[in-house]
Each structure stands twice: as C-alpha cells, then as structure tokens.
Amino acid sequence: RTQARRSLYDLLLGIRKDFADQAGIPPELVFSDRTLQAMAAEKPGNEGDMLALPGVTPAKYQKYGKVFLRAIQRNKDRRSGL
C-alpha cells in the first residue's frame, strides 16, 4: 500500500512539474507537497473530495484539479485491473 501511494505521489509530482514548467512558475504554486501527499493518501474521486483537501481552492481546482483527478482515477483503475 505504501508503495502504491508513493507511485501515485510520484505521478502527481510529474503532473505538477509539467504545469509549472508550462507556466514558468515554481511547482509549489500549482499545489504544495502537502497537498499532493493528501491526494495520494485520500485518492479523491470528485470535485468535492478535491476541494476538501488542504491547499485545493476552487480557483486551483478549476485550473489544475481535473487533470489530477483523471490521473488519480487512471491510477486506481490500473491497480484494480480495469
């Protein structure tokens, strides 16, 4: 389980880096490490779940959240064999 969480966290770090590189901003301005750790632990399944996480504001959800949600869902599906 810890390995799976680390794998998801690494995936989320990569997505964050892509957003930051495209925007020319530090990665922490996309989402903090703490927020990505919460995503990897909680595996939110919808907008409400995402907004309940520390550091996910409505503006950040609109800008980045859907991409992170899709990645989390794809990760879940792959792990469950779907």
Side-chain angles (χ1 to χ4, degrees):
R1 175 174 269 190
T2 303
Q3 177 70 26
R5 185 181 300 169
R6 182 67 202 188
S7 174
L8 177 56
Y9 179 70
D10 288 344
L11 173 70
L12 298 176
L13 282 172
I15 294 168
R16 180 181 75 174
K17 183 179 181 333
D18 290 344
F19 273 122
D21 288 351
Q22 288 172 8
I25 60 174
E28 295 76 21
L29 291 182
V30 176
F31 286 122
S32 69
D33 290 346
R34 179 175 176 234
T35 299
L36 295 186
Q37 290 164 356
M39 286 182 195
E42 300 296 324
K43 298 176 189 68
N46 59 48
E47 179 179 356
D49 293 344
M50 283 286 280
L51 291 171
L53 297 175
V56 180
T57 63
K60 283 190 176 189
Y61 177 80
Q62 288 304 315
K63 197 166 192 176
Y64 311 115
K66 294 172 188 173
V67 173
F68 282 87
L69 267 181
R70 280 195 300 271
I72 292 165
Q73 189 59 53
R74 281 194 308 267
N75 186 267
K76 271 193 219 178
D77 291 348
R78 193 175 72 242
R79 295 210 170 274
S80 65
L82 297 177

